[in-house]
Amino acid sequence: MPVKSAARSSRTQPQFPQAKHQTLIRRTSFSFDYRPIDFSGRFVCILMMDIQSSSGSGLDEAQMQMLPPPPGTFVDREELIQHVGDFAVSQGYVVTIKQSKRDRVVVLGCDRGGVYRNRKKADEESSAEQKRRKRSGSRLTNCPFEAVGKKDDGLWVLTIKNGTHNHEPLKDITEHPSARRFSESEIVLIKEMTEAGLKPRQILKRLRQSNPELLSTPKHVYNVKAKLRQGNMTVRNFKSLRPEKSAGRDNHLSIAEPSWRQRYPMRVPNFIGGRLVDSQSFASINVINPATQQVVSQVPLTTNEEFRAAVFAAKRAFPQWRDTPITTRQRIMFKFQELILRDIDKLAMSITTEHGKTLKDAHGDVLRGLEVVEHACGLASLQIGEFVSNISSGIDTYTIREPLGVCAGICSFEFPAMIPLWIFPIAVTCGNTFILKPSEKDPGASVMLAELVMEAGLPNGVLNIVHGTNEIVNGICDDDDIKAISFVGPNVVGAHVYARASAKGKRIQSNIVAKNHAVVMPDASVGVTINALVAAGFGGAGQKCMALNMVVFVGGLVPWEEKLAEHAKALKVTSGTELDAELGPVISKQAKEQISKLIQTSVESGAKLVLDGRNIVVAGYENGNFIGPTILSGITVNMECYKEEIFGPVLLCMQADSIEEAINIVNGNKYCNGASIFTTSGAAARKFQTEVEVGQVGINVPISVPQPFSSFISVKPSFAGDVNIDGKAGIQFYTQIPSSIETAPEIEE
C-alpha cells in the first residue's frame, strides 16, 4: 500500500491597521507571493497592491501606498524604533527621531531627505505662526507623518498620531541622503587624504577599498572637504532609522561598550527579546571565584517589570516560532552545535572561574549538554503523531503533537552548561518559547549559550534569560502565560516549586536531591572498583546530583579501606584553572562550612574518619573554598550524613553481610536515585538489577546516566512530576495532543 503524505499550509495573511485607514483598505486589493530568500527556510512576503483610486480622491496614488507601521507593544525602546524604521523602509520612506525622553517617550517623524517646505512668509501670517513654522522647518521632518512610542507599565506602546505623507515614496531607498553619510573614521581619512593632495574621486576610490558598499559620490566628498576647510570636524549625528550602507553614521556608538560591560565588576545582563539588557535593579549578588574569592561579576535581582517583559517577548514570539517548519528549527540546532564546539574552551573557562570545577570537568559539563543539542537536531521524527485510516466508512483519524507555548526552566549551580542545555534546546525545537533562570552563583555560561544560539539564527524572543532568586522563581510559578516548568535543584526549593506551580495548573518536572549508592561485592575487581569509586565520589568536588557518595561493602570493608584512602590522597587539589588539577574548590564558603559541619557531626555520632580533608591548604590559593577528599566509615542509616545530601567531596562507607541486606539498604533510602554494583558474578548482577528500586542502575560502572535519546529517569522523592526530563519523555513534556482529528472526503451536493 503506497504511503501518502499530505501538507497543509498554515500561513496567515498579514494584518494591516484598519482604524484610521479603513477607507483606504476597502479600496485596495492585496495579493501575496511567498518566495524563499535563503537556505535557512525563512520566507519573505512580497506585497503587491492594486490601488483602485477614484477620481476626486484627496491623496495621490503613490502616497496611498505608504502605510504606517502597525501599532503594537514592545519590550524596549530600541525594539519599537527598529520596528518603525524597518517597516518604513519597506514602504518607501525613512523615519527619524524628532523628540525623545529616553525613559518615557519617543516621537518619530518622516525624514524627507532634505526637501524643505516653501517657507515664504504669508502676508496674513502672525508672528507666532511664523515662529512655529520656522521651528517645524528647521529639521528635515516637514512631512506630517508622526508615530509616538510611550512607556506604559514596563512596556513600550506604539501609536500612530498621523499616518499620512505629503510626498511620493522613494523608488530606491539608497537615494536617501542617510545612505550616503560618512562615519567619523571616514571623515578623519578624508581630512588626511585632502592634506596629502588627493582629489575627491581618488579619496572615494580609497574609501571603497575598505568599505565596498559605500554609496557616497565625489560631490559628497567635496562637501565634506569644504566643511573641513572651514575647520568643522564634527560628524552630523542624523538619526535616520535606517541601517547605513556606510561604515556607520553612529560609529562612535557602535564601538561603545554596553552599560553592563562598563561596570566593574561586570554586571551580568538579562537576555530579553534577543538583546542583552542591563537590569534597572539596584540590588545584585556577587559571583565569587571559589578558588580566589575575587568577584567575577554581579548578578542583578531582576525587577518584576523586566520579568514581565521577558514573558511578553516569549509570548509574542510564540505564534511565528510555532509555525516555523521543524526542519528550520533543526537547522538552527545544527548551527548551535557547531558554535558550541567552536567556543567550548571559552565556556569551560567561564564554568571553572565561577563554579570552581576543573577544566576537564567543565569540558565534560559542556559536552554532556552538547549531546542534548545533537539529539534536538533529529527531533522531527520523534514528533510524528499517529494515524488510523478508515475507522468508519471513508473516515480517517489522526493525532498531532503541538507545542505548549511559553515554558520556563529553573537551574541549579552544579552544571552551569549541561542543565540549561538539558531543557531549552528540546523545548524550543518542539516549537515552544522559553524563559531561563540560571543559578545566581554561576550564570555566565547560560548567557554565553544564549548569544551562541542567537548567532545560530534563533529568532528574537524565543529564548529569554532573567536573573534573580526567590521573587523570580515565584513569578515563574505564578505567571499564567507560562505553561510548563523544568526544575533542577535542591530539595526544599524543588518541593516549593512543584507545589506552587501545580496549584496554578502548570506542567512541572522537578529533579531534586539524590543520594546514590554503590554496592561492592567481595569478588569485585579491585583496581577497576577503586578507580570508579574515587572518580564518581570526588569528581566535580562531589557537587553533582549523580555523585556516588555512599558505598556499601558486602562482607566487610577492611580490605578496601586502606586502598581507597591511598588513591584519594593522591588526587591533586588546586584551582580548577591549573592544568594538573583533579579536585577543585566547592562553590562557596557557606557550602564549605555546611560540609565541614556534617563531617564533624558524623564523627561525633560514631563514624570513623579515615581521611580528613577539612584543613587542607592550597599554595597560592589560601583563601579558596577547598575541602580535600574525605572518607568516613562505620556509617549507619540513622546518621545525619546518611540522610542528608552532603554535596561535597565526602565518601561514606558502610558494610553489609549479604547482597540482600545491601539491596535493602539501597531501597530503604528515599533519596537513592541511582545505584551501581561491582561484581564478577552474573547472578549477583542480575539479582541487583531486578530487585533494586532506583531510576538508574550501573553494573561495574559508576552511576549510569543515559544518553539524551533515552530518558533520564528519576524516582521516589528525587523527582516530582509525571514526565521525565529528556528523550521521548522530554518531548512528551514539551508538547501536547490537543485533540483527535477526523477527516472525510468532501461530499458532493
Side-chain angles (χ1 to χ4, degrees), residues 117-122 125-138:
R117 287 186 181 159
N118 182 2
R119 299 186 192 173
K120 184 177 180 180
K121 179 180 176 182
E125 200 172 56
S126 66
S127 174
E129 180 67 15
Q130 180 184 356
K131 290 181 180 179
R132 187 195 67 78
R133 286 177 60 84
K134 184 176 181 180
R135 283 196 302 269
S136 66
S138 62

Side-chain angles (χ1 to χ4, degrees), residues 179-186 189 203-216 244-249 251:
R180 294 184 170 85
R181 289 191 167 81
F182 297 107
S183 68
E184 286 192 32
S185 60
E186 288 169 338
L189 290 174
I203 293 174
L204 195 61
K205 184 177 180 180
R206 297 199 177 189
L207 290 176
R208 283 176 178 160
Q209 290 177 354
S210 58
N211 183 12
E213 295 185 352
L214 184 65
L215 297 177
S216 300
E244 299 301 323
K245 293 291 183 180
S246 168
R249 73 183 186 289
N251 195 52

Side-chain angles (χ1 to χ4, degrees), residues 342-357:
R342 183 195 70 186
D343 289 356
I344 189 170
D345 291 336
K346 295 179 182 178
L347 286 162
M349 181 57 72
S350 172
I351 292 169
T352 297
T353 303
E354 296 180 347
H355 179 280
K357 64 175 65 178

Side-chain angles (χ1 to χ4, degrees), residues 18-86:
Q18 298 183 4
K20 295 187 177 182
H21 303 276
Q22 193 168 5
T23 56
L24 172 61
I25 298 297
R26 285 177 180 172
R27 298 197 295 173
T28 307
S29 62
F30 301 90
S31 63
F32 301 92
D33 180 20
Y34 292 88
R35 303 176 185 174
I37 58 173
D38 59 28
F39 292 103
S40 65
R42 299 189 182 97
F43 288 83
V44 61
C45 173
I46 301 175
L47 173 63
M48 295 172 286
M49 307 177 64
D50 180 21
I51 307 296
Q52 301 174 358
S53 56
S54 60
S55 59
S57 171
L59 290 176
D60 182 80
E61 176 181 338
Q63 296 172 24
M64 291 174 64
Q65 289 183 359
M66 292 192 291
L67 295 172
T73 308
F74 301 86
V75 172
D76 54 28
R77 175 180 178 272
E78 286 69 26
E79 187 181 19
L80 180 146
I81 291 173
Q82 183 178 355
H83 166 75
V84 176
D86 291 346

Side-chain angles (χ1 to χ4, degrees), residues 604-665:
E604 293 172 356
S605 301
K608 177 184 175 183
L609 190 57
V610 179
L611 182 62
D612 189 357
R614 289 176 293 177
N615 299 319
I616 190 171
V617 177
V618 178
Y621 301 97
E622 289 78 8
N623 296 323
N625 308 322
F626 292 99
I627 293 183
T630 300
I631 300 175
L632 293 166
S633 66
I635 301 298
T636 65
V637 295
N638 297 320
M639 290 182 179
E640 184 180 357
C641 62
Y642 180 79
K643 297 177 181 178
E644 300 294 330
E645 188 176 34
I646 297 181
F647 233 59
V650 181
L651 196 60
L652 307 178
C653 302
M654 62 192 307
Q655 59 184 5
D657 295 331
S658 64
I659 188 174
E660 289 81 9
E661 183 183 352
I663 291 173
N664 289 335
I665 291 173

Side-chain angles (χ1 to χ4, degrees), residues 334-589:
F334 272 114
K335 183 64 176 178
F336 185 36
Q337 178 245 17
E338 176 188 332
L339 296 175
I340 290 175
L341 285 174
R342 183 195 70 186
D343 289 356
I344 189 170
D345 291 336
K346 295 179 182 178
L347 286 162
M349 181 57 72
S350 172
I351 292 169
T352 297
T353 303
E354 296 180 347
H355 179 280
K357 64 175 65 178
T358 65
L359 283 172
K360 181 180 178 181
D361 285 340
H363 274 86
D365 187 335
V366 180
L367 289 173
R368 193 64 181 170
L370 185 64
E371 292 174 351
V372 182
V373 179
E374 293 169 343
H375 175 58
C377 293
L379 217 60
S381 60
L382 300 177
Q383 285 190 263
I384 296 174
E386 298 175 343
F387 180 86
V388 180
S389 65
N390 210 38
I391 61 166
S392 185
S393 180
I395 296 178
D396 303 328
T397 182
Y398 64 93
T399 60
I400 56 176
R401 288 203 165 273
E402 294 184 348
L404 303 176
V406 181
C407 300
I410 303 171
C411 305
S412 59
F413 74 86
E414 59 259 42
F415 291 102
M418 188 194 75
I419 293 177
L421 291 174
W422 240 3
I423 49 183
F424 83 76
I426 299 295
V428 301
T429 309
C430 285
N432 301 285
T433 54
F434 208 80
I435 307 290
L436 182 69
K437 195 211 84 67
S439 170
E440 64 277 9
K441 296 176 181 177
D442 45 17
S446 292
V447 176
M448 292 176 67
L449 290 170
E451 292 182 283
L452 292 180
V453 78
M454 291 301 294
E455 184 181 345
L458 195 72
N460 294 345
V462 175
L463 174 65
N464 303 272
I465 295 178
V466 290
H467 304 285
T469 53
N470 298 343
E471 290 188 5
I472 295 300
V473 170
N474 290 337
I476 290 173
C477 294
D478 295 342
D479 195 289
D480 292 334
D481 290 321
I482 296 176
K483 307 301 182 184
I485 300 174
S486 296
F487 173 86
V488 179
N491 186 23
V492 175
V493 182
H496 169 77
V497 169
Y498 180 77
R500 189 156 183 158
S502 298
K504 289 287 185 177
K506 301 181 189 300
R507 287 192 182 186
I508 176 72
Q509 48 182 202
S510 181
N511 293 269
I512 51 177
V513 64
K515 195 77 174 179
N516 305 303
H517 289 56
V519 173
V520 179
M521 300 298 291
D523 62 350
S525 173
V526 176
V528 172
T529 303
I530 292 294
N531 289 334
L533 294 179
V534 170
F538 302 121
Q543 299 176 112
K544 50 187 180 181
C545 57
M546 296 309 292
L548 208 166
N549 43 37
M550 185 72 232
V551 187
V552 181
F553 293 94
V554 177
L557 55 82
V558 176
W560 300 91
E561 193 176 272
E562 183 179 347
K563 293 179 181 179
L564 194 59
E566 181 182 344
H567 278 71
K569 282 180 183 178
L571 294 176
K572 176 70 173 179
V573 181
T574 185
S575 169
T577 56
E578 301 291 339
L579 296 180
D580 59 346
E582 294 177 295
L583 182 63
V586 295
I587 189 72
S588 65
K589 285 191 175 296

